[in-house]
Amino acid sequence: MNPEADKLWRAPRWALAVLLAVLGMLGPFSIDTYIPAFSGIARSIGATPAEMQQTLSAYLFGFAFMNLFHGALSDSFGRRPVVLWGLAVFTLASLGCALSQTIGQLVLFRALQGLSTGAGIVVSRAVIRDMFPPAEAQKVMSQVTIYFGIAPAIAPIVGGFLFVHLGWHAIFWFLVGVGVVLWVANFKLLPETLHKDHRQPFEVRHLMRGYWDLCSDPRFLLLALASGVPFNGMFLYVLAAPAFLGEHLALAPTQFFWFFILTIGGIMSGAWASGRMAGKVAPKRQIRDGFVIMLATSILNVAANALFTPHAAWALWPLAVFAFGWALMVPVVTLLVLDLHPDRRGMASSLQAVIGSTANGIVAGVVAPLVMHSTLALAATSLLMLGVGLVAWVWLHGRWPEIGRRVAGEAA
């Protein structure tokens, strides 16, 4: 934690949470905004559904790759420059998407978007831990998750409106405007939270040693898997939304927002509950409760899809409850990750995001196209994604039972 944190931000805590949440939500906003326009973009530029899916994969793999460096750069040069450069590149990439005339051009600029948007979510996590002690950090992380949840709820509504009334190019022109506004806001408001005494030398040998320290620590890897992979249990449905909502549930594009509202409502309420528990409930108990909720809901979802014909009246609710369980535990797991190696919080945040976004990219490019045409396959795959994270947490809990045992306010 920065010893001068109380001098860096004198406005209310929620205001900093909003600023950081907007940074973090840029990534999912950039994904969900153009999903309603998938078919229209494909028709306009002569792309196949598989080629359109690659615009998602390119974005996610670009996000995963550059996340290897966002945190390390912020540990060396500071949080603020990395955020501002990331926003600048995102704005230029969005301009390229808006001007694209072929699927190749769109894939290229989507990849460039992915390379840049990770700066927001990676650095925002490090900023929180720079500024607040454990219990307060969990509350702020939960607030960020609440605000963060707004983006996927409104993004498809905004994207659908722009697509219907102005065409698909307008979606990316809108993202250009978002990039400009965010750059100006962060230039004026975001403080440099990394204390000068905490900066790491930017040397290849030092960086490689840092990556080795983290990647060779099984506690870090297990925690990163526990937080990142279960997210795909619901992200799979976001990626498969055109097929799941349009084909299986027979919803019109204008009705897709129900899915996003319910799912994001689950995320926001889970994050709110997580913040209320901060400093009162041991982290490992909160993580256990989140996994129990997700596991019970996933099993029920598989059974329902195996026995009944999918219908919008019931098929969306399990996803909302799953989202609640995920949001209940993920702020706590994220803070445990950041505190394993306090001198490399930026790098830890980077590698955590790499593991999660790599899983996202595999699900987007390989898994989702294989299972999106069956609701039972979607439900079973969602359960499998949860299972990876659950096994990681159970393994960690059995081998290092002391991790997460103490209430956040009692931590050193």
Side-chain angles (χ1 to χ4, degrees), residues 44-181:
S44 174
I45 61 180
T48 66
E51 288 174 329
M52 285 301 302
Q53 200 71 27
Q54 296 312 307
T55 64
L56 271 176
S57 298
Y59 177 95
L60 292 170
F61 281 116
F63 182 94
F65 172 77
M66 194 57 199
N67 275 344
L68 285 169
F69 307 103
H70 287 311
L73 290 170
S74 76
D75 283 340
S76 298
F77 299 108
R79 316 300 189 201
R80 181 179 159 89
V82 175
V83 167
L84 294 177
W85 276 104
L87 289 172
V89 174
F90 169 80
T91 303
L92 293 175
S94 299
L95 178 63
C97 290
L99 298 175
S100 293
Q101 300 297 319
T102 67
I103 187 62
Q105 293 172 355
L106 187 59
V107 169
L108 171 65
F109 287 112
R110 285 290 290 171
L112 190 57
Q113 278 187 323
L115 289 170
S116 59
T117 53
I121 191 167
V122 167
V123 177
S124 64
R125 291 171 180 169
V127 167
I128 290 172
R129 200 57 186 89
D130 288 341
M131 294 289 289
F132 302 101
E136 290 296 303
Q138 183 181 334
K139 292 178 182 178
V140 175
M141 192 76 73
S142 298
Q143 289 177 336
V144 167
T145 305
I146 291 174
Y147 298 128
F148 172 86
I150 297 174
I154 65 173
I157 299 174
V158 172
F161 177 86
L162 292 172
F163 172 61
V164 170
H165 294 283
L166 298 173
W168 69 267
H169 293 281
I171 296 173
F172 294 106
W173 283 112
F174 174 76
L175 292 178
V176 172
V178 169
V180 171
V181 171

